[in-house]
Each structure stands twice: as C-alpha cells, then as structure tokens.
Amino acid sequence: MLARVLSSSLIGIDPYLVEVEVNVEGQAFRYSTVGLPELAVRESKDRVISAIKNSGFKFPPKAYTINLAPADIKKEGSAFDLPIAIGILAALGMVMHQDLDDYVLLGELSLDGTLRPVKGALPSAVGVKANKLKGLILPACNAREAAVTGEIDVIPVNTLLDAILFLNGEKLIEPIHVDPEELFSQSQTYSVDMGDVRGQAHVKRALEVAAAGGHNVLMIGPPGSGKTMLAKRFPTILPQMTLEEALETTKIHSIAGLVRTEGLVATRPFRSPHHTISDAALVGGGRIPRPGEVSLAHHGVLFLDELPEFQKNVLEVLRQPLENTEVTISRASMSLTYPANFILLSAMNPCPCGYSSDPRHECTCNSMNIQKYMAKISGPLLDRIDLHIEVPAIPFEELAAKQDGEPSLVIRKRVQAARDHQIQRFKHDLHIHSNADMPPKMIRSICKVDMDSAQLLKSAINTLGLSARAYDRILKVSRTIADLSGSENIQTEHLSEAIQYRTLDRQLWMV
C-alpha cells in the first residue's frame, strides 16, 4: 500500500515542498528512510513508532519504506515526524487519503504522541501559500507564527491523534487566523527608553545621527560610562519597522527557533553576542548552514561590546556583510545567502585598564600597551565604522538630575523625518535605503560641498591621515546631519560635526 503526504523544508530562508512517500508491504518488519535524510530524520523511526502505538493504533510488522523527495537535497530536522507518521497510517488504511494533497504537515513527535514545536513555521507557511495549497497542519505553539502569512488555513494540533481525527473528518479544528496589521501594531513596544539615560547629550546626538543615516558606530569610554545602556536603547530611536521588514526578520528568527508567542518580530532586533563567539556563529555556518548573529540582527542592531576582546578572525568576517548587507556561506554540497542588513554598534575601553580617559582614575597602561590594544581592531574594519564617539564618565550632577532625558519617541520623529528625505532621494534605486548605503559614485553627486567646506575637509584628511573610505564616510555622515537639520546642501557646520565623529582616527594619530 502506498501513501503520499506533503511536508516542507528550507534552503536558506526559502521553503520548498517535500513529498513524503510511504510504501508498506510484506509480513517481515523492516523500516528504512531514503532521500538523503540527516541524523535527526533517521532517528525519527523510534519516535514515530512509539507515538503511533501510544496514540492507540496498531503498528503491524511489515516492510516500511519512507522516501523524502526530491531525493537530491539533504533533509534535516525533526519536523518530518508528523508527516511520516500520517503517511504510515494512511498506507495502513487508518487515515483517509482525500485531504492529504491539500495540506502540508510539520511537527516533531514525543513518544506519547504529543507534538513539539518546530523551526521555520513562517517560511513554510509562505511556501504553502506560494504553492496555492489549502493549509498547514502543525503544532499549536507554532500556529500564530504561521498564520501571519494569511490566506491559508493554519490548523493547530496538540497530538498525533488530533491530526488523524481532523484528516478523517471526525474532529473539527478551527483554523487560526491572525490579522498581521493588528498584530504588528500591538507588538511595536519597547521595554526601555532613551529618556532613562542621564547626561551624555553629545553621545545621544551622535546616536541620533547614526539612526537617521543607518551608520555604524563605535563608542569609546571607561567602564561604567553608560555605553551598554545607550546601546540597548539605540533600537528605540530607529524608524519603526514596516510590516514587510517585520515579516522578513521573523522568517530568519523562525529558522533559528527564536520567534516568541506573539508570532511576529515587530521591533528592531538587538543582538549582543559575547566576545567568545566563533566566526561561524557570528556570520552563520555549520554542516548545514544556519543564520548567524549578523542575520538575526537583520533590520536591527548588532552590538559588539568590548570590541578588542573579540578574536581578530571573527571581526574580519564582518567585512562582507557590512559592505554587501548579506552573507554567503559556501559548503561542498550547497551555497546559501542570508540577508544581513544591520547597523553595527560597538563599544570599547580607551585602553586595557579602561581609565586612560577618566580623570577620576589612574591609568596603569603605557603607550605600548595602548597601541597593542588598539591594534586588535584592523584599519579596514575601522574604516567601515562611520562614527567614533567618546563616552566620558558621567559627573555626579548629571546622575543626580531629577529631570529625565529626551524620550525615544521625540528623537525617533526627527530620525524618521530625515529618513523620509532619504527615501525620496533614493526612490529610484531599490538597493539603497539610507545615506550609509550610498556607493562612492553616488557620494560624489549627492554629497557636494562648497569651497570652504572642501578646504576644511582637505585639512582634516591631511592632518588625520584618513583613508579614501574614511573620506567617504565623513561625507555620508555630513549628508545625514544636513538631513536632520532640513538643509538641502551640506554646510560647513555639518561637515565639521561629521569630522568630530572620527575620534579614534585622531587618537591613533596622536599616539
């Protein structure tokens, strides 16, 4: 007896249908899974057999052959448990066949037949919709996530028995329906606010510039000066996510199994990996490549605290995603590309002990130690960071101030107004969304300066010994500052402020 059940898997973030074919014959027990199954799929045998028996069904001793097609693509994960179990029962005549071509099935089985959550529910639902199938049957805890796509029936089931009864027409299970717009508006709240930060007005201004133009930032300051606190509140001043951005970000988080019960990532992601992270964990990798922190930060912020403490090879792999807003992971069997459009926000101490810029503490480092510490960050990586900001220790008077700082909502309005200028400016180029994305050729035409500004820029370049890439960064930041002030042209004061945001270049020149 032969049965066919539909399931789904992923190549990168793109879904594809998998046909689970089950053939049952003979009287001697044999169980084999073919179609390039990975270890978790091969191990489904014991889970499936136990779940079928513990759900009250007989499992006769026959020859069971399960084929996962297409057979030339590796299948991984435990989400094939449910379709394999349903396919076996359909081949044994215990599940009706008529609806099996209408639904895609996903789910990991416990030994007692209950269903555990799976990864990639949202992209799988997108694939169901693209193939114009009726719906998706999956664990109830993944239902809201999958229902975000709309236009398909998302059937939540808690056990293998629930799925069988539904397919046999013996139990009515209402599809889960979610209004993406309503869910999106309800989930756009942050638990922190920039108004919580006392003092540091010039740092907040620099972060506002970074948010307005999508620029990368490096904060340099002693321990306890508020770098981490500022970083955690940086996403709250970025423009609110659009629904399209939220869906794209949720797909990546779904693959990693990080989607919360709300079912939608509606706020800017903030990823803060520890400095012991490997290069594969940062940009993605593994035997079958999975998205790394740079992709999980897509449309959000990647915060690297204690930047010099990261391994040099880890920092160097950031170059491709910072330049191309995507990361390509190549293996012998496949090459996958994940989106990675994020703002890099990093922080470091000014020296190994951390107190060379703090007048209240004595620095124990000599110039050689400081140079060695700074050299841990390569020049090419520094060139890709637009703003270098000094974050001084906070005076007691500012800490004790009763008045809160400017709230995130007020700052975000100014940021959004500047971004609106950029949307209009780049409306004919689909690959450029902010000033930070401008290629060199476009910088020359959009970031023109007058004679006085050109002389100021020449003096800064010659004095600081800046690279050509740093020259471009200054012009980009100047353009963003002009957008924040509502100016059509870059003025000398805009350029002067942008030059001030190259703190580390000045420090390295003076060391």
Side-chain angles (χ1 to χ4, degrees):
M1 188 72 176
L2 179 67
R4 173 179 172 273
V5 178
L6 294 178
S7 188
S8 178
S9 190
L10 302 170
I11 299 178
I13 62 173
D14 300 318
Y16 67 96
L17 289 182
V18 175
E19 293 186 10
V20 180
E21 299 174 318
V22 180
N23 186 64
V24 179
E25 60 186 2
Q27 298 299 322
F29 178 74
R30 179 175 58 82
Y31 189 108
S32 63
T33 305
V34 297
L36 289 183
E38 287 294 308
L39 181 60
V41 183
R42 294 198 300 270
E43 286 183 344
S44 67
K45 167 188 170 181
D46 295 324
R47 292 194 300 270
V48 168
I49 294 174
S50 296
I52 289 175
K53 290 180 178 179
N54 289 324
S55 297
F57 296 91
K58 291 183 179 180
F59 191 85
K62 294 181 179 293
Y64 298 88
T65 304
I66 294 96
N67 178 45
L68 306 176
D72 60 340
I73 301 176
K74 286 186 178 181
K75 320 298 187 308
E76 66 157 351
S78 55
F80 294 110
D81 289 4
L82 178 61
I84 289 174
I86 294 295
I88 290 173
L89 292 171
L92 293 171
M94 300 178 194
V95 172
M96 307 298 289
H97 287 246
Q98 58 263 30
D99 289 333
L100 291 181
D101 289 336
D102 296 328
Y103 290 95
V104 165
L105 283 77
L106 295 172
E108 176 186 335
L109 286 170
S110 299
L111 298 183
D112 62 356
T114 58
L115 285 169
R116 299 179 183 274
V118 295
K119 298 177 181 179
L122 177 58
S124 295
V126 171
V128 172
K129 181 178 177 181
N131 284 280
K132 299 181 180 179
L133 297 173
K134 186 175 181 179
L136 180 64
I137 300 174
L138 77 173
C141 46
N142 292 117
R144 285 181 63 82
E145 174 190 338
V148 169
T149 56
E151 298 182 26
I152 63 171
D153 289 343
V154 176
I155 308 298
V157 290
N158 293 303
T159 64
L160 172 61
L161 183 59
D162 286 342
I164 295 167
L165 294 176
F166 172 77
L167 289 169
N168 286 340
E170 299 174 23
K171 182 176 182 179
L172 178 64
I173 301 178
E174 290 294 332
I176 294 288
H177 293 291
V178 172
D179 183 349
E181 295 283 355
E182 182 180 353
L183 178 62
F184 181 61
S185 61
Q186 291 175 351
S187 304
Q188 285 190 315
T189 56
Y190 292 92
S191 59
V192 295
D193 192 276
M194 194 64 81
D196 303 334
V197 182
R198 306 290 175 88
Q200 305 291 22
H202 76 287
V203 183
K204 292 179 187 177
R205 164 64 180 179
L207 292 178
E208 180 179 336
V209 172
H215 302 289
N216 301 318
V217 182
L218 172 61
M219 295 183 289
I220 309 120
S225 57
K227 301 186 296 294
T228 302
M229 186 178 187
L230 286 159
K232 289 181 177 179
R233 285 151 181 78
F234 181 64
T236 67
I237 66 173
L238 290 171
Q240 286 192 327
M241 292 183 82
T242 63
L243 181 56
E244 182 181 356
E245 289 176 334
L247 289 171
E248 188 176 5
T249 303
T250 305
K251 284 172 65 176
I252 300 171
H253 283 239
S254 176
I255 294 168
L258 299 176
V259 177
R260 297 173 295 179
T261 54
E262 294 89 342
L264 190 67
V265 178
T267 55
R268 299 282 176 186
F270 180 82
R271 304 294 300 180
S272 179
H274 193 260
H275 60 76
T276 56
I277 192 172
S278 67
D279 52 355
L282 186 64
V283 299
R287 189 165 42 86
I288 294 180
R290 283 284 180 244
E293 291 292 333
V294 297
S295 296
L296 294 172
H298 185 55
H299 291 314
V301 177
L302 177 67
F303 177 51
L304 302 184
D305 200 4
E306 304 296 343
L307 187 65
E309 301 303 325
F310 285 79
Q311 294 293 325
K312 194 155 189 173
N313 66 301
V314 173
L315 294 180
E316 292 308 303
V317 297
L318 282 173
R319 292 195 198 179
Q320 183 202 7
L322 285 174
E323 286 293 323
N324 303 331
T325 67
E326 64 182 19
V327 59
T328 301
I329 306 165
S330 298
R331 295 291 181 268
S333 59
M334 66 180 69
S335 180
L336 300 178
T337 298
Y338 289 108
N341 186 9
F342 60 91
I343 294 178
L344 176 63
L345 186 57
S346 51
M348 62 180 289
N349 295 329
C351 65
C353 78
Y355 295 111
S356 66
S357 63
D358 189 349
R360 299 175 301 181
H361 294 83
E362 182 180 355
C363 176
T364 60
C365 307
N366 58 40
S367 59
M368 183 176 296
N369 289 338
I370 296 176
Q371 282 186 330
K372 186 176 180 181
Y373 180 73
M374 293 292 189
K376 292 182 179 181
I377 309 171
S378 69
L381 179 61
L382 276 179
D383 280 346
R384 287 168 170 82
I385 299 177
D386 302 351
L387 288 83
H388 309 158
I389 316 165
E390 285 190 59
V391 185
I394 307 174
F396 172 79
E397 292 76 17
E398 293 184 0
L399 282 175
K402 295 182 179 180
Q403 187 175 1
D404 289 338
E406 193 174 28
S408 295
L409 182 60
V410 175
I411 302 174
R412 190 194 300 153
K413 287 181 178 178
R414 296 196 296 265
V415 169
Q416 186 63 64
R419 284 289 183 107
D420 289 341
H421 288 306
Q422 294 164 49
I423 290 172
Q424 284 297 115
R425 180 179 300 134
F426 306 124
K427 62 183 178 182
H428 299 300
D429 195 321
L430 298 177
H431 302 290
I432 300 178
H433 307 285
S434 63
N435 289 335
D437 299 332
M438 284 190 290
K441 185 177 181 180
M442 187 174 287
I443 293 173
R444 302 295 182 267
S445 61
I446 291 179
C447 301
K448 294 179 179 179
V449 295
D450 57 26
M451 292 296 293
D452 291 340
S453 298
Q455 190 60 37
L456 175 63
L457 188 56
K458 178 182 178 182
S459 176
I461 295 295
N462 291 336
T463 302
L464 302 179
L466 301 181
S467 68
R469 186 178 280 114
Y471 170 81
D472 288 345
R473 303 288 175 186
I474 290 174
L475 288 176
K476 288 181 182 181
V477 174
S478 301
R479 182 62 266 174
T480 299
I481 296 170
D483 290 339
L484 279 169
S485 66
S487 174
E488 289 296 324
N489 301 311
I490 296 175
Q491 306 296 333
T492 305
E493 59 267 25
H494 305 147
L495 192 62
S496 177
E497 183 179 352
I499 294 170
Q500 293 302 310
Y501 294 141
R502 302 298 298 184
T503 296
L504 204 55
D505 291 327
R506 299 199 304 274
Q507 288 183 350
L508 290 174
W509 176 75
M510 290 186 291
V511 170

